[in-house]
Amino acid sequence: MNDFRPDRRQFLSLVGVSGGLSLAGCTEPRRDGGVEGGSAHSIDRDDLADGSTFTDVYDAVIESVTQVRVFGVDDPLTDQEGQGQGSGFVYDENHVVTNEHVVAGGEEVDLQYITGDWTSTRIVGTDRLSDLAVLEVEHIPEEATPLPLAQDRPVVGQQVLAVGNPFGLEGSMSQGVVSGVDRTIEAPGQDFSFPNVIQTDAAVNPGNSGGPLVDLDGNVIGVVHAGGGENIGFAISAALANRVVPALLEDGEFEHSYLGIQLASVDRFIAEENDLEEAAGIAVVGVVDGGPADGVLEEATSTTERGGEPVPVGGDVIVELDGEPIPDRHALSTFLALETSPGNELEVRLWRDGEIVVETLVLGTRPTE
């Protein structure tokens, strides 16, 4: 037997894959649909179809994708104790990354690998504001090597694969493209949003949450978060995970930057009612008492109605932070999430009373509740 075992990048290179191309319960899932007696990686490969580039990527990453089973959570249908499930992926030799909402409220969390191996875990850290969690695992199979987080920012049209366990169906894969980047997604039932979210048309269903959204080099470009409807899925970006996950490993938590304002992206109505030169920027609708912006930024003084919606009038309109243009709330949330930390001093360029004003503001730490 050959002792050489290529790592994931070497394997993808060998098979000619590059980024330029553009409730189950089966204990040993098989790609050939056969009966018990062996895993997908122990059957006669001569009996399989040729597959495609996507097959090659799937083979390279699937052993590093896990099914997550959470015990002790409340069943929303019966109000009785039940169990939840999702997906995760190997981050390093001892840890698996998944979503915070997958493990939230659970008393015990177990993982199953595609080989059928089970392992118990310990929750190392969670971050509700980015929907990320890190689990320390007792056992990782030799074949389950870490999946690297992508260093390059994704682009619209880039081909991607979502790998996970939708509806508990182990080892499933769906294919699509990046449909949008730098999205800001409202957290269901909460008063905050998830920043720097990737949108994809790859099929994402319950059970995919926490699994990897990978490019054709096998790099994780996002942690699958939720399906938003037909042909719309979302993933927490690798760029944000690259900031949050190391902090969860070291401290068990991550501190997010906080401005302390209520805001609205400037549209045509806001621009017209406030005599702005263009429909761009962030209107400061309100300022949180005692927050970082209190005494520094000025909130809207009144509202009027346009198109059946309230439009803020007066107050500041943020156009730049530290020289970075801020055309809308998505740009603001991405800048704060990826480029700043609590305690940073920012230069805020804004419109106030018909002229450009520059203020200095020190960012706070976003409350977790």
Side-chain angles (χ1 to χ4, degrees), residues 276-308:
L276 301 176
E277 293 180 351
E278 59 179 343
I282 298 295
V284 180
V285 178
V287 174
V288 177
D289 290 340
D294 191 11
V296 179
L297 302 183
E298 297 181 3
E299 64 184 30
T301 55
S302 63
T303 60
T304 187
E305 187 173 300
R306 293 284 299 272

Side-chain angles (χ1 to χ4, degrees), residues 167-251:
F167 301 109
L169 299 169
E170 301 100 324
S172 298
M173 180 184 74
S174 58
Q175 179 268 336
V177 298
V178 173
S179 306
V181 295
D182 297 333
R183 302 300 197 209
T184 303
I185 306 300
E186 299 293 335
Q190 305 294 329
D191 61 352
F192 66 90
S193 302
F194 298 112
N196 199 231
V197 172
I198 298 167
Q199 179 187 333
T200 180
D201 66 348
V204 171
N205 292 286
N208 275 115
S209 293
L213 184 69
V214 300
D215 63 20
L216 298 192
D217 286 320
N219 299 312
V220 178
I221 72 162
V223 182
V224 173
H225 161 67
E230 186 176 356
N231 298 326
I232 296 181
F234 299 105
I236 305 302
S237 72
L240 184 56
N242 266 318
R243 298 202 74 193
V244 174
V245 171
L248 296 184
L249 284 169
E250 183 173 347
D251 304 319

Side-chain angles (χ1 to χ4, degrees), residues 321-322 324 326 330-340 346:
L321 292 176
D322 271 2
E324 182 73 20
I326 305 295
H330 306 295
L332 175 65
S333 65
T334 294
F335 177 79
L336 292 176
L338 302 185
E339 306 296 337
T340 70
L346 297 184

Side-chain angles (χ1 to χ4, degrees), residues 54-83:
F54 306 133
T55 309
D56 297 332
V57 180
Y58 177 86
D59 285 342
V61 306
I62 189 57
E63 289 175 324
S64 301
V65 179
T66 69
Q67 184 176 40
V68 181
R69 290 179 63 187
V70 185
F71 302 92
V73 296
D74 293 333
D75 188 326
L77 299 179
T78 65
D79 290 329
Q80 302 296 313
E81 185 177 292
Q83 70 179 51

Side-chain angles (χ1 to χ4, degrees), residues 320-357:
E320 288 184 5
L321 292 176
D322 271 2
E324 182 73 20
I326 305 295
D328 54 35
R329 63 193 296 263
H330 306 295
L332 175 65
S333 65
T334 294
F335 177 79
L336 292 176
L338 302 185
E339 306 296 337
T340 70
S341 298
N344 287 168
E345 184 176 273
L346 297 184
E347 186 178 87
V348 185
R349 190 168 183 263
L350 50 88
W351 281 102
R352 177 183 291 167
D353 297 328
E355 61 182 8
I356 289 291
V357 175

